Amino acid sequence: MNLTFKEGGTVSPASPKLLLLMRDIHKRYPGVYALRGVSFSVHAGEVHALVGENGAGKSTLVKILEGAVQPDAGEIWVGGRKVSWRGPRDAIEAGISVIHQELSLAPHLTVAQNIFLGREPRGGLFIDRRRMTEESRKIFSELGVDIDADAQVSALTVGEQQLVEIARALSRNARIIAMDEPTSSLSAKETESLFKVIKDLKKKGVGIIYISHRLEEIFEIADRVSVLRDGELVGSGPLSKFSQEEIVSLMVGREIKAFFPRTAAPLSEVVLEVRNLTRKGVFSDVSFSLRRGEILGIAGLVGSGRSDVAMSIFGAYPPDAGEILFEGKPIKIGSPRDAIARGIFLVPEDRKVQGLFLNMSVKHNLTIVELLKKFKLLSLVNEKAREERAREFIRELSIRCGSLNAEIRSLSGGNQQKVVIAKGLSVEPKVLILDEPTRGIDVGAKAEVHRLMDDLTRRGISILMISSELPEVMGMSDRVLVMRSGRIVASFDRENLSGERIMMAAAGGSE
Amino acid sequence: MNSTVVLRKYGSFLVLGFLLLILALFYPGVLSFSNVANVFSQVAVVGICAVGMTFVMLTGGIDLSVGSLVALTGAVGAWLNTHGGFHWSLAWVGAVLVGMLCGLISGLFVQWGKMPPFIATLSMMAIARGATLLITRGYPISGTSSGFNYAGWAYLGPFPVSGLLMLVLIAIAWVVLRKTRFGTYVYAVGDDPETARLAGISISKVRVIVYVISGACSAFGGLLMVGRLWSAQPNVGMGMELDVIASVVLGGTSLFGGVGGVGGTLIGVLIMGFLDNGLRMLELSSYLQQVVKGAVFIGVVGADLYFKKVRSGKC
């Protein structure tokens, strides 16, 4: 595919229409090469879409742009001048505003107070509230939106709050506005009015960086597109040169290099069945079944409801409607405790916040769930037995740690993850739910976790795996469900899996 | 182990050692047996309350009602023994039950009322103080039996009984916290409530129980206090929550939960006790003593915040 052209070499950084040029940006984190020589530019009056899978490097690029993170190498030019930022303040002064998915407004202040937060106009000693209100009104009328400048922000819809953020950016004379998944929580009507505002901003010569997974939107609003994959720019050019399929294949298009040790599972009886599971406003009508010894993958974008379904099955956030059948019988799960008693265990997405006790030792983390089953509340815990058990897990899962009493935080991410999985195995589960089982761990540890998963299924444990990493989903799953906006939108068997098809279903592109 | 870990783990020992060294320079008698025994008898009430407070603070909560509960349970016990005519042992049981009930109410407000522990126990502090004044009508209740008073003032040979009881209670608490499932859960809930919930722990039960334990400990403290003063005083224990909380934090239990233990609390209690003892021997005015205590408390909380930052900086 001859769509790639590397920017930077051909464009003069001093060109008058070029608002922003990031040239040959490199950024390494421990264990991750987040950006490898990425170049990116924004012209006055254009919308430049930035797309890529989770972990492709989009957010790192945005963090560098807003001055929150410094690049290891590379140049940034703004308005024809080379800049280097010490912090977010410098970036704001240079005319850059980033509107994050999580809005950053003070909910109890008024719209005008938020717009001028930290830069309140003063008349004499006191804040000139009237001027704040008037200037806010002026900005809103230029934007052609109807928002009361004196309203409290918490009373506004999410869409309106987003417009307040845009107004704040404009009041700071932003020339470049980056929007991260701006429509993820907007209704169709709100999206429409956002697009109207974006088109207006274009006319005023503002450059917009539009980060989104939603291909339809990108084709509606963007002029140019850049595709990131594994920290590299793999495609960039005017949108008219691309089709949806081409963008998807650029996003996904890597051979699956890693070796996945999945051995085919024999067909056997259904262990867990979920019927029409619904949690209002989060997911609806989710039905699927999981067989003994099977790995069922759930793919989908972050926020598509995957983790919420898992949490509901585990009883952490009980569903509003629907049925869960376990070994053929309908069961009620009101809390994680119930789930664990049935033999369902969840290894959560965020190891540090949900999976580990960071102030406890390896030994205590390994044995805490097992304690629940085997001991009375006040009976003395046999320290020897506890140590023996911990040692067994360390051997079985080859967890590398200094000692049983080592602090859990001293372990590498991969070993921490193994501890969380071991915690689950200690209760001899029948169903293991793994949410992002290999997030943030190195390649070697990933392979070990994958091998472990395969082992577990051969012992008859069924695994429900949620993953944002396509190669993992495709390499490890016997079947794959794809979720989008709280619903299951596609289901694939191992034979007819393809990265493009999964991505297309997840992103809501038309096939 | 790096230096901050050493400081975190053994800091309270260092502070105690340093304090004793300074005091010994001014007043060599500080380490004499009789003075140490004296300090133990003086810290017993605060120390026993601090045991309960350690449980609460390990879960990330706080109990401001301990001082008022000392007064209330003392008054209830004394009233049962004198006006009620109950044998001292039954009066003790009644007082402890009242302490546990108050703790239970605080705990329920925290857990099911979703109130910040600070507010729930602050209210309990006011309610318990008011109830004490109602029971005593503002006057001391005296005339408790000698069996009632024994534990508060008597010595077993050279050892103060109250000090010994404190040590026994600390030993029991140590075993519960370190060796039982419940103890592990106390740490787990304070360490990370979300992880604890997902590990199948009933965090609401744990959170309520620790306030009940704190209430029971305050009641023991209150009963010893009656014995020490030979009467139930309505204004006893005012401001004591500061001493108790300071002792626990000085002993290395984090205000944020999950870190520390009752062994450290003993050291913290002794630091506060010897500080008191020393300031008195140096004949500083009791007003100045208050200022010094406040300053120590701020310093300790500052250190706790610092260690928390170090901990989270590492992950």
Side-chain angles (χ1 to χ4, degrees):
Chain A
M1 222 174 296
N2 193 20
L3 298 162
T4 312
F5 80 94
K6 295 265 177 185
E7 257 185 307
T10 52
V11 188
S12 155
S15 150
K17 284 207 78 179
L18 195 60
L19 290 178
L20 169 77
L21 173 64
M22 301 172 86
R23 190 149 69 176
D24 202 21
I25 303 282
H26 288 262
K27 180 73 194 175
R28 267 175 204 275
Y29 291 110
V32 190
Y33 204 159
L35 291 175
R36 315 166 191 237
V38 171
S39 297
F40 187 82
S41 69
V42 181
H43 294 276
E46 77 163 348
V47 175
H48 191 159
L50 183 60
V51 300
E53 276 186 81
N54 298 320
K58 292 171 299 179
S59 40
T60 308
L61 195 66
V62 170
K63 278 183 193 153
I64 290 172
L65 176 68
E66 65 177 334
V69 165
Q70 316 308 322
D72 296 336
E75 295 174 353
I76 304 175
W77 296 70
V78 173
R81 290 222 316 269
K82 200 177 158 195
V83 295
S84 87
W85 293 322
R86 279 153 309 179
R89 215 190 167 85
D90 292 347
I92 290 172
E93 271 166 24
I96 289 169
S97 272
V98 177
I99 296 168
H100 290 277
Q101 209 170 344
E102 302 294 324
L103 300 179
S104 58
L105 297 171
H108 299 297
L109 298 183
T110 67
V111 169
Q113 279 172 330
N114 265 289
I115 290 175
F116 287 97
L117 199 62
R119 307 168 294 118
E120 289 82 359
R122 274 188 303 190
L125 261 180
F126 302 104
I127 291 173
D128 189 345
R129 292 191 73 138
R130 191 143 45 130
R131 212 174 105 208
M132 262 167 49
T133 309
E134 272 167 16
E135 290 197 12
S136 304
R137 277 194 194 128
K138 218 169 80 196
I139 296 168
F140 285 130
S141 74
E142 277 172 23
L143 281 176
V145 296
D146 180 28
I147 292 176
D148 179 5
D150 289 323
Q152 201 174 319
V153 161
S154 56
L156 304 182
T157 66
V158 180
E160 288 171 330
Q161 293 185 12
Q162 212 159 37
L163 294 173
V164 173
E165 287 230 20
I166 293 174
R168 179 163 71 184
L170 292 177
S171 82
R172 287 170 174 167
N173 298 315
R175 305 288 301 141
I176 300 159
I177 300 179
M179 301 180 186
D180 190 1
E181 296 282 352
T183 57
S184 61
S185 42
L186 298 191
S187 66
K189 202 162 158 271
E190 284 175 322
T191 303
E192 206 176 292
S193 68
L194 176 71
F195 283 3
K196 215 176 105 264
V197 168
I198 290 177
K199 282 171 189 154
D200 254 26
L201 292 174
K202 274 173 67 171
K203 278 188 210 130
K204 294 196 173 85
V206 175
I208 289 169
I209 302 168
Y210 192 91
I211 302 167
S212 179
H213 278 106
R214 303 188 181 188
L215 295 176
E216 288 160 1
E217 287 177 6
I218 288 170
F219 276 88
E220 186 179 340
I221 197 79
D223 304 302
R224 269 201 298 159
V225 63
S226 288
V227 185
L228 287 178
R229 185 173 76 222
D230 295 336
E232 279 176 280
L233 187 71
V234 291
S236 181
L239 202 69
S240 52
K241 286 196 181 172
F242 293 89
S243 68
Q244 286 198 8
E245 287 75 18
E246 281 164 343
I247 290 178
V248 166
S249 76
L250 280 172
M251 284 161 74
V252 176
R254 86 192 108 181
E255 295 138 60
I256 296 171
K257 287 173 241 152
F259 168 70
F260 289 96
R262 182 69 188 137
T263 46
L267 283 182
S268 57
E269 79 277 13
V270 170
V271 176
L272 179 78
E273 192 178 347
V274 168
R275 286 187 192 155
N276 308 103
L277 209 63
T278 299
R279 222 175 101 214
K280 285 194 189 90
V282 185
F283 57 82
S284 51
D285 232 2
V286 170
S287 304
F288 62 84
S289 60
L290 179 65
R291 288 168 184 278
R292 176 198 280 284
E294 183 183 40
I295 298 181
L296 177 60
I298 303 187
L301 305 175
V302 172
S304 59
R306 303 170 305 173
S307 303
D308 303 285
V309 169
M311 284 294 218
S312 283
I313 296 172
F314 189 53
Y317 302 101
D320 299 319
E323 267 190 302
I324 299 172
L325 283 83
F326 189 69
E327 295 177 327
K329 291 183 211 85
I331 55 165
K332 239 185 118 42
I333 296 175
S335 71
R337 211 186 161 86
D338 296 348
I340 291 170
R342 297 270 180 191
I344 302 174
F345 195 85
L346 176 131
V347 173
E349 184 180 7
D350 190 331
R351 227 177 1 255
K352 281 184 176 144
V353 178
Q354 303 172 310
L356 291 170
F357 297 106
L358 289 174
N359 291 316
M360 288 191 187
S361 65
V362 173
K363 178 178 74 188
H364 279 86
N365 269 291
L366 278 171
T367 54
I368 192 160
V369 182
E370 195 176 20
L371 283 177
L372 183 80
K373 282 200 139 179
K374 298 216 169 138
F375 293 95
K376 289 219 177 71
L377 203 56
L378 277 177
S379 63
L380 296 190
V381 176
N382 183 337
E383 203 62 25
K384 276 242 174 65
R386 176 139 84 178
E387 278 179 11
E388 192 40 55
R389 200 71 179 113
R391 245 184 232 116
E392 264 171 46
F393 283 124
I394 288 174
R395 245 193 333 264
E396 200 183 319
L397 276 69
S398 42
I399 298 168
R400 278 170 290 277
C401 57
S403 80
L404 283 178
N405 294 314
E407 283 186 46
I408 195 80
R409 66 180 82 232
S410 68
L411 270 59
S412 71
N415 283 305
Q416 287 183 352
Q417 185 68 359
K418 286 192 222 161
V419 169
V420 185
I421 295 175
K423 214 170 74 172
L425 296 183
S426 72
V427 293
E428 285 150 22
K430 292 183 178 131
V431 173
L432 203 54
I433 306 174
L434 303 175
D435 196 349
E436 303 286 1
T438 61
R439 169 181 289 178
I441 68 181
D442 64 61
V443 183
K446 268 186 190 180
E448 283 185 64
V449 169
H450 289 146
R451 210 168 306 126
L452 176 66
M453 287 167 64
D454 193 52
D455 280 354
L456 294 176
T457 54
R458 256 181 290 150
R459 279 200 244 155
I461 295 175
S462 311
I463 294 179
L464 189 63
M465 176 187 73
I466 296 169
S467 174
S468 295
E469 294 182 34
L470 269 180
E472 181 172 76
V473 171
M474 291 166 53
M476 290 306 297
S477 312
D478 300 316
R479 271 187 308 140
V480 175
L481 305 175
V482 182
M483 286 192 71
R484 186 177 75 231
S485 313
R487 283 170 187 280
I488 292 178
V489 292
S491 157
F492 303 101
D493 287 330
R494 198 170 169 83
E495 293 78 52
N496 51 27
L497 268 181
S498 84
E500 282 80 2
R501 294 178 73 178
I502 294 176
M503 203 61 201
M504 204 55 124
S510 41
E511 217 170 325
Chain B
M1 236 193 293
N2 59 30
S3 59
T4 46
V5 174
V6 173
L7 214 57
R8 166 95 230 171
K9 279 202 151 149
Y10 304 108
S12 357
F13 282 99
L14 293 178
V15 172
L16 180 61
F18 188 67
L19 177 68
L20 289 177
L21 200 72
I22 300 261
L23 289 178
L25 285 180
F26 286 96
Y27 178 75
V30 72
L31 285 174
S32 71
F33 189 87
S34 64
N35 190 54
V36 173
N38 183 29
V39 167
F40 264 86
S41 75
Q42 274 167 0
V43 298
V45 175
V46 167
I48 285 170
C49 293
V51 171
M53 186 71 83
T54 306
F55 278 87
V56 174
M57 287 177 61
L58 281 175
T59 66
I62 199 159
D63 186 353
L64 298 180
S65 68
V66 289
S68 293
L69 288 186
V70 162
L72 175 65
T73 53
V76 167
W79 190 91
L80 287 174
N81 188 228
T82 55
H83 297 62
F86 288 97
H87 185 256
W88 71 266
S89 54
L90 290 177
W92 273 51
V93 170
V96 171
L97 286 178
V98 168
M100 290 170 79
L101 179 69
C102 292
L104 178 68
I105 294 170
S106 294
L108 292 177
F109 276 128
V110 170
Q111 190 52 36
W112 277 284
K114 308 268 176 240
M115 289 183 193
F118 182 86
I119 298 300
T121 59
L122 188 68
S123 317
M124 181 51 72
M125 170 175 154
I127 293 168
R129 181 65 63 187
T132 311
L133 291 168
L134 285 173
I135 292 172
T136 61
R137 301 204 184 94
Y139 295 102
I141 302 177
S142 48
T144 43
S145 71
S146 61
F148 193 106
N149 295 341
Y150 175 79
W153 68 272
Y155 277 67
L156 258 181
F159 304 106
V161 174
S162 56
L164 291 176
L165 280 177
M166 174 184 79
L167 290 178
V168 168
L169 203 62
I170 287 175
I172 294 172
W174 188 86
V175 171
V176 169
L177 281 174
R178 291 285 169 191
K179 298 285 170 195
T180 68
R181 207 180 87 184
F182 173 72
T184 309
Y185 288 2
V186 169
Y187 281 94
V189 168
D191 193 328
D192 191 333
E194 181 69 1
T195 306
R197 197 168 75 98
L198 295 182
I201 295 171
S202 167
I203 58 174
S204 42
K205 252 188 237 164
V206 173
R207 279 194 180 141
V208 172
I209 291 173
V210 292
Y211 286 95
V212 175
I213 292 174
S214 178
C217 287
S218 301
F220 273 119
L223 293 164
L224 293 187
M225 193 61 118
V226 172
R228 198 164 120 199
L229 303 173
W230 286 82
S231 61
Q233 302 279 346
N235 290 323
V236 82
M238 273 190 169
M240 209 178 86
E241 51 286 340
L242 180 73
D243 285 15
V244 173
I245 294 166
S247 301
V248 174
V249 180
L250 263 172
T253 296
S254 172
L255 277 168
F256 309 99
V259 175
V262 79
T265 297
L266 173 62
I267 305 299
V269 167
L270 290 178
I271 292 172
M272 291 303 280
F274 277 107
L275 192 64
D276 230 21
N277 182 251
L279 291 173
R280 218 171 292 159
M281 284 188 302
L282 297 174
E283 288 170 356
L284 291 177
S285 86
S286 63
Y287 304 146
L288 191 60
Q289 288 181 30
Q290 286 284 339
V291 175
V292 171
K293 271 193 199 169
V296 168
F297 188 54
I298 287 286
V300 168
V301 171
D304 186 33
L305 284 167
Y306 171 76
F307 283 122
K308 182 184 158 72
K309 221 163 90 185
V310 170
R311 280 204 301 277
S312 49
K314 264 178 22 183
C315 56

